Coordinates of all heavy atoms in Angstrom, one line a residue:
T1 N 43.2 39.2 -124.8 CA 44.0 38.3 -125.6 C 43.6 36.9 -125.5 O 43.0 36.4 -124.6 CB 45.5 38.3 -125.4 OG1 45.9 37.9 -124.1 CG2 46.0 39.9 -125.5
Y2 N 43.9 36.3 -126.6 CA 43.5 34.7 -126.7 C 44.8 34.0 -127.0 O 45.4 34.3 -127.9 CB 42.5 34.6 -127.8 CG 41.9 33.1 -128.0 CD1 40.8 32.7 -127.2 CD2 42.4 32.5 -129.0 CE1 40.4 31.4 -127.3 CE2 41.8 31.2 -129.3 CZ 40.9 30.8 -128.4 OH 40.4 29.5 -128.7
G3 N 45.0 32.9 -126.4 CA 46.1 32.0 -126.7 C 46.4 31.1 -125.5 O 45.8 31.0 -124.5
E4 N 47.5 30.3 -125.6 CA 47.8 29.3 -124.7 C 48.6 30.0 -123.6 O 49.3 31.0 -123.8 CB 48.8 28.3 -125.2 CG 48.0 27.3 -126.2 CD 48.9 26.3 -126.7 OE1 50.0 26.0 -126.1 OE2 48.4 25.6 -127.7
A5 N 48.5 29.6 -122.4 CA 49.3 30.1 -121.2 C 49.5 28.9 -120.2 O 48.7 27.9 -120.1 CB 48.3 31.3 -120.5
Y6 N 50.5 29.1 -119.5 CA 50.9 28.2 -118.3 C 50.3 28.8 -117.1 O 50.7 30.0 -116.8 CB 52.4 28.0 -118.2 CG 52.7 27.2 -117.1 CD1 52.6 25.9 -116.9 CD2 53.3 27.9 -115.9 CE1 53.0 25.1 -115.8 CE2 53.6 27.3 -114.8 CZ 53.4 25.9 -114.7 OH 53.7 25.3 -113.5
C7 N 49.6 28.1 -116.4 CA 49.1 28.5 -115.0 C 49.6 27.5 -114.0 O 49.2 26.3 -114.1 CB 47.6 28.6 -115.0 SG 46.9 29.6 -116.2
G8 N 50.2 27.9 -112.9 CA 50.7 27.0 -112.0 C 51.8 27.6 -111.1 O 52.0 28.7 -111.1
I9 N 52.3 26.7 -110.2 CA 53.4 27.1 -109.2 C 54.6 27.0 -110.0 O 55.0 26.1 -110.7 CB 53.3 26.2 -108.2 CG1 51.9 26.2 -107.4 CG2 54.4 26.5 -107.1 CD1 51.9 25.2 -106.3
V10 N 55.4 28.1 -109.7 CA 56.7 28.4 -110.3 C 57.6 28.7 -109.2 O 57.3 29.4 -108.3 CB 56.8 29.7 -111.4 CG1 58.1 29.9 -111.9 CG2 55.7 29.4 -112.4
G11 N 58.7 28.0 -109.3 CA 59.8 28.2 -108.2 C 60.1 26.8 -107.5 O 59.9 25.9 -107.9
G12 N 60.9 27.0 -106.5 CA 61.3 25.8 -105.7 C 60.6 25.6 -104.5 O 59.4 26.0 -104.4
T13 N 61.1 24.6 -103.6 CA 60.4 24.1 -102.6 C 60.1 25.1 -101.4 O 59.1 25.2 -100.9 CB 61.1 22.9 -102.0 OG1 61.4 22.1 -103.0 CG2 60.4 22.1 -100.8
H14 N 61.2 26.0 -101.3 CA 61.1 27.0 -100.3 C 60.6 28.3 -100.7 O 60.0 29.1 -99.9 CB 62.6 27.1 -99.5 CG 63.0 25.9 -98.9 ND1 62.4 25.3 -97.8 CD2 64.0 25.1 -99.3 CE1 62.9 24.2 -97.4 NE2 64.1 24.0 -98.4
R15 N 60.7 28.6 -101.9 CA 60.3 29.9 -102.5 C 59.6 29.7 -103.8 O 60.1 29.3 -104.6 CB 61.4 30.8 -102.6 CG 60.9 32.2 -103.1 CD 62.1 33.3 -103.2 NE 61.5 34.5 -103.6 CZ 62.2 35.5 -103.9 NH1 63.5 35.4 -103.8 NH2 61.6 36.6 -104.3
H16 N 58.3 29.8 -103.8 CA 57.5 29.7 -105.0 C 56.3 30.6 -105.0 O 56.0 31.2 -104.1 CB 57.0 28.2 -105.2 CG 56.2 27.7 -104.1 ND1 56.8 27.1 -102.9 CD2 54.9 27.7 -103.8 CE1 55.8 26.9 -102.1 NE2 54.7 27.3 -102.5
D17 N 55.7 30.7 -106.2 CA 54.6 31.6 -106.4 C 53.6 31.0 -107.5 O 54.2 30.2 -108.4 CB 55.1 32.9 -106.8 CG 54.1 34.0 -106.7 OD1 53.0 33.9 -106.1 OD2 54.4 35.2 -107.1
Y18 N 52.3 31.3 -107.3 CA 51.5 31.0 -108.4 C 51.5 32.0 -109.6 O 51.4 33.3 -109.2 CB 50.1 30.8 -107.9 CG 49.1 30.3 -108.9 CD1 48.9 29.0 -109.1 CD2 48.3 31.2 -109.7 CE1 48.0 28.4 -110.1 CE2 47.3 30.6 -110.6 CZ 47.2 29.4 -110.8 OH 46.4 28.8 -111.7
S19 N 51.8 31.6 -110.8 CA 51.9 32.6 -111.8 C 51.1 32.0 -113.1 O 50.8 31.0 -113.2 CB 53.5 32.6 -112.3 OG 54.1 33.3 -111.2
I20 N 50.8 33.0 -113.9 CA 50.4 32.7 -115.2 C 51.3 33.4 -116.3 O 51.6 34.4 -116.2 CB 48.9 33.3 -115.6 CG1 48.0 32.8 -114.4 CG2 48.3 33.0 -116.8 CD1 46.7 33.5 -114.3
L21 N 51.9 32.4 -117.2 CA 52.9 32.8 -118.1 C 52.4 32.5 -119.5 O 51.7 31.5 -119.8 CB 54.1 32.1 -117.9 CG 54.7 32.2 -116.3 CD1 55.8 31.1 -116.1 CD2 55.1 33.5 -115.9
G22 N 52.9 33.3 -120.5 CA 52.6 33.1 -121.9 C 52.5 34.4 -122.6 O 52.4 35.4 -122.2
P23 N 52.7 34.3 -124.0 CA 52.7 35.5 -124.9 C 51.4 36.3 -124.7 O 51.2 37.5 -124.6 CB 52.9 35.0 -126.2 CG 53.5 33.7 -126.1 CD 53.0 33.1 -124.8
S24 N 50.2 35.5 -124.6 CA 48.9 36.1 -124.5 C 48.7 36.9 -123.2 O 48.2 38.0 -123.1 CB 47.8 35.1 -124.7 OG 47.9 34.1 -123.8
V25 N 49.3 36.3 -122.1 CA 49.3 37.0 -120.8 C 50.1 38.3 -120.8 O 49.7 39.3 -120.4 CB 49.8 36.1 -119.7 CG1 49.9 36.7 -118.4 CG2 49.0 34.7 -119.7
N26 N 51.2 38.2 -121.5 CA 52.3 39.3 -121.6 C 51.5 40.4 -122.4 O 51.5 41.7 -121.9 CB 53.5 39.1 -122.2 CG 54.3 38.1 -121.4 OD1 54.1 37.9 -120.2 ND2 55.2 37.4 -122.0
L27 N 50.9 40.2 -123.5 CA 50.1 41.2 -124.2 C 49.0 41.7 -123.5 O 48.8 42.9 -123.5 CB 49.6 40.6 -125.5 CG 49.0 41.5 -126.4 CD1 49.8 42.7 -126.8 CD2 48.4 40.9 -127.7
A28 N 48.3 40.9 -122.7 CA 47.2 41.5 -121.9 C 47.7 42.4 -121.0 O 47.0 43.5 -120.6 CB 46.4 40.2 -121.2
A29 N 48.8 42.3 -120.2 CA 49.4 43.1 -119.4 C 49.8 44.3 -120.0 O 49.5 45.5 -119.5 CB 50.6 42.4 -118.7
R30 N 50.4 44.3 -121.3 CA 50.7 45.5 -121.9 C 49.5 46.4 -122.4 O 49.5 47.6 -122.2 CB 51.5 45.1 -123.3 CG 52.6 44.3 -123.2 CD 53.9 45.1 -122.7 NE 55.1 44.2 -122.7 CZ 55.6 43.6 -121.7 NH1 54.9 43.5 -120.6 NH2 56.7 42.9 -121.8
L31 N 48.5 45.7 -122.7 CA 47.2 46.4 -123.0 C 46.5 47.0 -121.9 O 46.1 48.2 -121.9 CB 46.1 45.5 -123.6 CG 46.4 45.0 -125.1 CD1 45.3 43.9 -125.5 CD2 46.6 46.0 -126.1
M32 N 46.7 46.4 -120.6 CA 46.2 47.0 -119.5 C 46.9 48.3 -119.1 O 46.2 49.2 -118.5 CB 46.1 45.9 -118.3 CG 45.2 44.8 -118.4 SD 45.2 43.5 -117.2 CE 45.3 44.5 -115.7
S33 N 48.2 48.3 -119.3 CA 49.0 49.4 -118.9 C 49.0 50.5 -120.0 O 49.7 51.5 -119.9 CB 50.5 49.0 -118.6 OG 51.1 48.5 -119.6
S34 N 48.4 50.3 -121.2 CA 48.4 51.3 -122.2 C 47.5 52.5 -122.0 O 46.6 52.4 -121.1 CB 48.1 50.6 -123.5 OG 46.6 50.4 -123.6
Q35 N 47.9 53.5 -122.7 CA 47.0 54.8 -122.6 C 45.6 54.5 -122.9 O 44.7 55.1 -122.5 CB 47.7 55.9 -123.3 CG 49.0 56.4 -122.9 CD 48.9 57.0 -121.4 OE1 47.8 57.7 -121.2 NE2 49.9 56.7 -120.7
E36 N 45.4 53.6 -123.9 CA 44.1 53.4 -124.4 C 43.1 52.6 -123.4 O 42.0 52.5 -123.6 CB 44.2 52.5 -125.7 CG 44.7 53.2 -127.0 CD 43.8 54.3 -127.5 OE1 42.7 54.2 -127.2 OE2 44.4 55.1 -128.0
N37 N 43.7 52.2 -122.2 CA 43.0 51.4 -121.3 C 41.8 52.1 -120.7 O 41.1 51.7 -120.1 CB 43.9 50.6 -120.2 CG 43.3 49.6 -119.4 OD1 42.3 48.9 -120.1 ND2 43.6 49.5 -118.3
R38 N 41.9 53.4 -120.8 CA 40.8 54.2 -120.1 C 39.6 54.0 -120.9 O 38.6 54.4 -120.4 CB 41.1 55.6 -120.4 CG 42.5 56.1 -119.5 CD 42.7 57.6 -119.6 NE 43.9 57.9 -118.9 CZ 45.0 58.3 -119.5 NH1 44.9 58.6 -120.8 NH2 46.2 58.5 -118.7
R39 N 39.5 53.1 -122.0 CA 38.3 52.9 -122.6 C 37.5 51.7 -122.1 O 36.4 51.4 -122.6 CB 38.7 52.4 -124.2 CG 39.3 53.6 -124.9 CD 38.3 54.7 -125.1 NE 37.1 54.3 -125.6 CZ 36.9 54.4 -127.1 NH1 37.6 55.0 -127.8 NH2 35.7 54.0 -127.4
G40 N 38.1 50.8 -121.2 CA 37.4 49.7 -120.5 C 37.9 48.5 -121.0 O 39.0 48.3 -121.0
I41 N 37.1 47.7 -121.7 CA 37.6 46.4 -122.1 C 38.2 46.6 -123.5 O 37.6 47.0 -124.5 CB 36.3 45.5 -122.3 CG1 35.5 45.3 -121.0 CG2 36.8 44.0 -122.9 CD1 34.4 44.4 -121.2
L42 N 39.6 46.2 -123.5 CA 40.3 46.3 -124.8 C 40.6 44.8 -125.0 O 40.9 43.9 -124.3 CB 41.6 47.0 -124.6 CG 41.5 48.4 -124.1 CD1 42.9 48.9 -124.0 CD2 40.7 49.2 -125.1
I43 N 40.6 44.6 -126.4 CA 41.0 43.3 -127.1 C 41.9 43.4 -128.2 O 42.1 44.5 -128.8 CB 39.6 42.5 -127.5 CG1 39.0 43.2 -128.5 CG2 38.8 42.3 -126.3 CD1 37.8 42.4 -129.3
D44 N 42.5 42.4 -128.4 CA 43.5 42.3 -129.7 C 42.8 41.6 -130.8 O 41.6 41.2 -130.7 CB 44.8 41.6 -129.3 CG 44.8 40.2 -129.0 OD1 43.5 39.6 -128.8 OD2 45.8 39.6 -129.1
E45 N 43.4 41.5 -131.9 CA 42.8 40.9 -133.1 C 42.4 39.5 -132.8 O 41.3 39.0 -133.4 CB 43.7 40.9 -134.3 CG 43.2 40.4 -135.6 CD 42.3 41.4 -136.2 OE1 42.6 42.7 -136.1 OE2 41.4 40.9 -136.9
S46 N 43.1 38.6 -132.1 CA 42.7 37.3 -131.9 C 41.4 37.0 -131.1 O 40.6 36.1 -131.4 CB 43.9 36.5 -131.0 OG 44.0 37.1 -129.7
V47 N 41.1 37.9 -130.2 CA 39.8 37.9 -129.5 C 38.7 38.3 -130.4 O 37.6 37.7 -130.5 CB 39.8 38.8 -128.1 CG1 38.5 38.8 -127.5 CG2 41.0 38.2 -127.1
K48 N 39.0 39.4 -131.1 CA 37.9 39.8 -132.1 C 37.6 38.7 -133.1 O 36.4 38.4 -133.3 CB 38.5 41.0 -132.9 CG 37.4 41.6 -133.8 CD 37.9 42.9 -134.5 CE 36.9 43.3 -135.4 NZ 37.6 44.1 -136.6
M49 N 38.6 38.1 -133.7 CA 38.3 37.0 -134.7 C 37.5 35.9 -133.9 O 36.7 35.3 -134.4 CB 39.7 36.5 -135.1 CG 40.2 37.5 -136.2 SD 41.9 36.9 -136.8 CE 41.8 35.2 -137.0
E50 N 38.0 35.5 -132.7 CA 37.2 34.5 -132.0 C 35.8 34.8 -131.6 O 34.8 34.1 -131.7 CB 37.9 34.0 -130.7 CG 37.6 32.9 -130.0 CD 37.7 31.5 -130.7 OE1 38.6 31.5 -131.6 OE2 37.0 30.6 -130.5
A51 N 35.5 36.0 -131.3 CA 34.3 36.5 -131.0 C 33.3 36.6 -132.3 O 32.1 36.4 -132.0 CB 34.3 37.9 -130.2
T52 N 33.9 36.9 -133.3 CA 33.1 36.9 -134.5 C 32.9 35.6 -135.2 O 32.0 35.4 -136.0 CB 33.6 37.9 -135.6 OG1 35.0 37.6 -135.8 CG2 33.7 39.5 -135.0
R53 N 33.8 34.6 -134.8 CA 33.9 33.3 -135.3 C 32.8 32.4 -134.8 O 32.3 31.5 -135.4 CB 35.1 32.7 -135.3 CG 35.3 31.3 -136.0 CD 36.7 30.6 -135.9 NE 37.0 30.4 -134.5 CZ 36.8 29.3 -133.9 NH1 36.3 28.3 -134.6 NH2 37.2 29.0 -132.7
T54 N 32.4 32.6 -133.5 CA 31.5 31.7 -132.7 C 30.2 31.7 -133.4 O 29.8 32.8 -133.8 CB 31.6 31.9 -131.2 OG1 31.1 33.4 -131.0 CG2 33.1 31.8 -130.6
R55 N 29.4 30.7 -133.1 CA 28.0 30.7 -133.6 C 27.2 31.0 -132.3 O 26.0 30.4 -132.4 CB 27.8 29.3 -134.2 CG 28.8 28.9 -135.3 CD 28.4 27.7 -136.0 NE 27.0 27.8 -136.6 CZ 26.7 28.2 -137.7 NH1 27.5 29.0 -138.4 NH2 25.4 28.2 -138.2
S56 N 27.5 31.8 -131.5 CA 26.6 32.3 -130.4 C 25.5 33.2 -130.9 O 25.6 33.7 -132.0 CB 27.4 33.0 -129.5 OG 26.7 33.7 -128.6
L57 N 24.5 33.3 -130.2 CA 23.2 34.2 -130.5 C 23.6 35.7 -130.3 O 23.1 36.6 -130.7 CB 22.1 33.7 -129.8 CG 21.5 32.3 -130.3 CD1 20.2 32.1 -129.4 CD2 21.1 32.4 -131.7
T58 N 24.8 35.8 -129.3 CA 25.2 37.1 -129.1 C 26.1 37.6 -130.1 O 27.1 36.9 -130.4 CB 25.8 37.2 -127.8 OG1 24.8 36.6 -126.8 CG2 26.2 38.5 -127.4
K59 N 26.0 38.8 -130.6 CA 27.0 39.4 -131.7 C 27.5 40.6 -131.0 O 26.9 41.3 -130.1 CB 26.4 39.8 -132.9 CG 25.6 38.7 -133.7 CD 26.5 37.6 -134.0 CE 25.8 36.4 -134.6 NZ 26.6 35.2 -134.7
F60 N 28.8 40.9 -131.2 CA 29.6 41.9 -130.6 C 30.0 43.0 -131.7 O 30.2 42.8 -132.8 CB 30.8 41.4 -130.0 CG 30.5 40.4 -128.9 CD1 30.6 39.0 -129.3 CD2 30.2 40.7 -127.6 CE1 30.4 38.0 -128.2 CE2 30.0 39.8 -126.6 CZ 30.0 38.4 -127.0
V61 N 29.9 44.3 -131.3 CA 30.3 45.4 -132.1 C 31.5 45.9 -131.5 O 31.6 46.3 -130.2 CB 29.1 46.5 -132.1 CG1 29.6 47.6 -133.0 CG2 28.0 45.7 -132.7
F62 N 32.7 46.1 -132.3 CA 33.9 46.7 -131.9 C 34.2 47.9 -132.4 O 33.9 48.1 -133.6 CB 34.9 45.7 -132.0 CG 34.8 44.3 -131.3 CD1 34.3 43.2 -132.2 CD2 35.1 44.0 -130.1 CE1 34.2 42.0 -131.6 CE2 34.8 42.9 -129.4 CZ 34.4 41.8 -130.1
E63 N 34.9 48.7 -131.7 CA 35.5 49.9 -132.5 C 37.0 49.9 -132.4 O 37.7 49.5 -131.5 CB 35.1 51.1 -131.4 CG 35.8 52.4 -131.8 CD 35.6 53.6 -130.8 OE1 34.9 53.5 -129.9 OE2 36.2 54.7 -131.1
S64 N 37.6 50.1 -133.6 CA 39.1 50.1 -133.8 C 39.8 51.3 -133.1 O 39.3 52.3 -133.3 CB 39.4 50.0 -135.2 OG 40.6 50.0 -135.5
L65 N 40.7 51.1 -132.4 CA 41.5 52.1 -131.7 C 42.9 52.3 -132.2 O 43.2 51.3 -133.0 CB 41.5 51.8 -130.1 CG 40.2 51.6 -129.3 CD1 40.4 51.2 -127.9 CD2 39.4 52.8 -129.4
A66 N 43.6 53.2 -131.8 CA 45.0 53.2 -132.2 C 45.8 52.0 -131.8 O 45.6 51.6 -130.7 CB 45.6 54.6 -131.6
A67 N 46.6 51.6 -132.7 CA 47.4 50.4 -132.3 C 48.5 50.7 -131.2 O 48.9 51.8 -131.1 CB 48.3 50.1 -133.7
V68 N 48.6 49.8 -130.5 CA 49.5 49.9 -129.2 C 50.9 49.4 -129.5 O 51.1 48.2 -130.0 CB 48.9 49.1 -128.0 CG1 49.9 49.2 -126.8 CG2 47.7 49.7 -127.6
V69 N 51.9 50.1 -129.2 CA 53.2 49.7 -129.4 C 53.7 48.9 -128.1 O 53.8 49.5 -127.1 CB 54.3 51.0 -129.6 CG1 55.7 50.5 -129.6 CG2 53.9 51.6 -130.7
A70 N 53.8 47.7 -128.2 CA 53.9 46.7 -126.9 C 55.4 46.2 -127.1 O 55.9 45.7 -127.9 CB 53.0 45.6 -127.1
K71 N 55.9 46.2 -125.8 CA 57.2 45.7 -125.6 C 57.3 44.2 -126.1 O 56.4 43.4 -125.7 CB 57.7 45.8 -124.2 CG 58.9 45.2 -123.9 CD 59.3 45.5 -122.4 CE 60.8 44.7 -122.0 NZ 61.0 44.9 -120.7
G72 N 58.3 43.8 -127.0 CA 58.4 42.4 -127.3 C 57.7 42.1 -128.7 O 57.7 41.0 -129.2
Y73 N 57.0 43.1 -129.3 CA 56.3 42.9 -130.5 C 56.9 44.0 -131.6 O 57.4 45.1 -131.3 CB 54.9 43.4 -130.4 CG 54.1 42.3 -129.7 CD1 54.1 42.2 -128.2 CD2 53.4 41.3 -130.2 CE1 53.4 41.3 -127.6 CE2 52.8 40.3 -129.6 CZ 52.7 40.3 -128.3 OH 52.1 39.3 -127.5
M74 N 57.3 43.3 -132.7 CA 58.1 44.1 -133.8 C 57.1 45.3 -134.4 O 57.5 46.3 -134.6 CB 58.5 43.3 -134.8 CG 59.5 42.0 -134.2 SD 60.8 41.7 -135.2 CE 61.5 42.8 -136.2
K75 N 55.8 44.9 -134.6 CA 54.9 45.9 -135.1 C 53.9 46.2 -134.1 O 53.6 45.6 -133.1 CB 54.1 45.1 -136.2 CG 54.9 44.7 -137.4 CD 54.2 44.0 -138.4 CE 54.9 43.3 -139.5 NZ 54.1 42.7 -140.5
P76 N 53.2 47.5 -134.2 CA 52.2 47.9 -133.3 C 51.0 46.8 -133.5 O 50.7 46.2 -134.4 CB 51.8 49.2 -133.9 CG 52.9 49.8 -134.6 CD 53.6 48.4 -135.2
V77 N 50.4 46.6 -132.2 CA 49.3 45.5 -132.0 C 48.0 46.4 -132.2 O 47.6 47.2 -131.6 CB 49.4 45.0 -130.7 CG1 48.3 44.0 -130.5 CG2 50.7 44.2 -130.4
P78 N 47.2 45.9 -133.2 CA 45.9 46.5 -133.4 C 45.0 46.2 -132.1 O 45.0 45.1 -131.6 CB 45.3 45.8 -134.7 CG 46.5 45.1 -135.3 CD 47.4 44.9 -134.2
V79 N 44.2 47.3 -131.6 CA 43.5 47.1 -130.4 C 42.0 47.5 -130.8 O 41.9 48.5 -131.6 CB 44.2 48.1 -129.3 CG1 43.2 48.0 -128.1 CG2 45.6 47.7 -129.0
F80 N 41.1 46.8 -130.1 CA 39.7 47.1 -130.3 C 39.1 47.4 -129.0 O 39.5 46.8 -127.9 CB 39.1 46.1 -131.1 CG 39.7 45.7 -132.4 CD1 40.8 44.9 -132.4 CD2 39.4 46.4 -133.6 CE1 41.3 44.6 -133.7 CE2 39.9 46.2 -134.8 CZ 40.9 45.3 -134.8
A81 N 38.0 48.1 -129.0 CA 37.1 48.3 -127.7 C 35.8 47.7 -128.0 O 35.2 47.9 -129.0 CB 37.0 49.8 -127.4
L82 N 35.3 47.0 -126.9 CA 33.9 46.5 -127.1 C 32.9 47.7 -126.9 O 33.0 48.3 -126.0 CB 33.7 45.5 -125.9 CG 32.3 44.8 -125.9 CD1 31.9 44.1 -127.1 CD2 32.1 44.1 -124.7
V83 N 32.1 47.9 -128.0 CA 31.1 49.0 -128.0 C 29.8 48.5 -127.4 O 29.2 49.0 -126.5 CB 30.9 49.5 -129.4 CG1 29.8 50.6 -129.3 CG2 32.2 50.0 -129.9
K84 N 29.3 47.3 -128.0 CA 28.0 46.7 -127.5 C 27.9 45.3 -127.9 O 28.6 44.9 -128.7 CB 26.9 47.6 -127.9 CG 26.6 47.6 -129.4 CD 25.4 48.3 -129.7 CE 25.2 48.3 -131.2 NZ 24.0 49.1 -131.7
E85 N 26.9 44.7 -127.3 CA 26.6 43.3 -127.6 C 25.2 43.2 -128.0 O 24.3 43.9 -127.3 CB 27.1 42.1 -126.6 CG 26.5 42.4 -125.3 CD 26.9 41.3 -124.3 OE1 27.9 41.5 -123.6 OE2 26.2 40.3 -124.3
T86 N 24.9 42.6 -129.0 CA 23.4 42.5 -129.4 C 23.1 41.1 -129.7 O 24.0 40.2 -130.1 CB 23.3 43.3 -130.5 OG1 24.0 42.7 -131.7 CG2 23.5 44.8 -130.4
A87 N 21.8 40.7 -129.6 CA 21.3 39.4 -130.0 C 20.9 39.4 -131.6 O 20.5 40.5 -132.1 CB 20.0 39.1 -129.3
D88 N 21.5 38.3 -132.1 CA 21.3 38.3 -133.5 C 19.9 37.8 -133.9 O 19.6 36.6 -133.9 CB 22.4 37.4 -134.1 CG 22.3 37.3 -135.6 OD1 21.5 38.2 -136.2 OD2 23.0 36.5 -136.3
V89 N 18.9 38.7 -134.2 CA 17.5 38.3 -134.4 C 17.3 37.7 -135.8 O 16.3 37.1 -136.0 CB 16.7 39.6 -134.2 CG1 16.6 40.2 -132.9 CG2 17.1 40.8 -135.2
G90 N 18.4 37.8 -136.5 CA 18.2 37.1 -137.8 C 18.7 35.7 -137.8 O 18.6 35.0 -138.8
D91 N 19.1 35.2 -136.6 CA 19.6 33.8 -136.4 C 18.4 32.9 -136.6 O 17.3 33.1 -136.0 CB 20.3 33.7 -135.2 CG 21.0 32.3 -135.0 OD1 20.3 31.4 -134.8 OD2 22.2 32.2 -135.2
K92 N 18.4 31.7 -137.2 CA 17.5 30.7 -137.3 C 16.9 30.3 -136.0 O 15.7 30.1 -135.9 CB 18.0 29.5 -138.2 CG 17.0 28.6 -138.6 CD 17.6 27.4 -139.3 CE 16.5 26.4 -139.6 NZ 17.0 25.2 -140.4
A93 N 17.9 30.0 -135.1 CA 17.3 29.5 -133.8 C 16.5 30.6 -133.0 O 15.5 30.2 -132.4 CB 18.5 29.2 -132.9
T94 N 16.8 31.8 -133.2 CA 16.1 33.0 -132.6 C 14.6 32.9 -133.3 O 13.6 33.1 -132.5 CB 16.8 34.3 -132.8 OG1 18.1 34.2 -132.2 CG2 15.9 35.3 -132.1
R95 N 14.6 32.8 -134.6 CA 13.4 32.9 -135.3 C 12.4 31.7 -134.9 O 11.3 31.8 -134.8 CB 13.5 32.9 -136.7 CG 14.0 34.2 -137.4 CD 14.0 34.2 -138.9 NE 14.5 33.0 -139.4 CZ 15.8 33.1 -140.0 NH1 16.6 34.1 -140.0 NH2 16.4 32.0 -140.7
N96 N 13.0 30.6 -134.8 CA 12.3 29.4 -134.4 C 11.7 29.4 -132.9 O 10.7 28.7 -132.6 CB 13.1 28.1 -134.6 CG 13.3 27.8 -136.2 OD1 12.5 28.2 -136.9 ND2 14.3 27.1 -136.4
A97 N 12.4 30.2 -132.1 CA 12.1 30.3 -130.7 C 10.8 31.1 -130.6 O 10.2 31.1 -129.5 CB 13.2 30.8 -129.9
R98 N 10.4 31.8 -131.6 CA 9.3 32.8 -131.4 C 8.0 32.1 -131.6 O 7.7 31.0 -132.2 CB 9.3 33.9 -132.5 CG 10.5 34.9 -132.3 CD 10.5 36.0 -133.1 NE 11.7 36.8 -132.9 CZ 12.1 37.6 -133.7 NH1 11.5 37.9 -134.8 NH2 13.1 38.3 -133.5

């Protein structure tokens, strides 16, 4: 998942723990515990959009999986699996490097 999260020490002086908190962290935990997790790397829509939006020379191919019903979400969450990554040979920087 992609989003803001709080990372740091939570608790008091005598009892505290290092934690990571936030909606994206919660969704990541839900995806990890889902039945679809047997597929390897799972991502949600926000990561897919970020991966396809970047101007990297690496392009990613995703497979759409069954949506996951996650606690705390009103609608099922669309889930994708990373199938492969490829170099974009059509990119101008790649052509100029030859």
Side-chain angles (χ1 to χ4, degrees):
T1 62
Y2 180 82
E4 292 185 12
Y6 168 79
C7 303
I9 297 174
V10 177
T13 310
H14 299 290
R15 183 175 178 188
H16 56 271
D17 199 3
Y18 185 83
S19 293
I20 303 173
L21 307 169
S24 60
V25 177
N26 294 341
L27 180 56
R30 305 283 190 264
L31 293 179
M32 288 175 54
S33 65
S34 74
Q35 293 295 323
E36 293 291 335
N37 193 31
R38 296 187 184 113
R39 298 293 308 261
I41 299 174
L42 297 183
I43 62 168
D44 69 343
E45 186 73 35
S46 64
V47 174
K48 181 181 177 201
M49 287 175 41
E50 189 66 23
T52 56
R53 183 179 69 86
T54 59
R55 301 190 55 84
S56 171
L57 294 180
T58 304
K59 302 300 178 194
F60 301 97
V61 178
F62 301 103
E63 175 187 356
S64 181
L65 303 175
V68 171
V69 177
K71 181 180 174 183
Y73 287 82
M74 302 214 27
K75 298 179 183 177
V77 178
V79 178
F80 305 89
L82 177 62
V83 176
K84 68 179 177 177
E85 59 181 90
T86 60
D88 185 6
V89 294
D91 190 280
K92 184 178 179 181
T94 305
R95 287 193 307 262
N96 290 340
R98 291 183 186 168

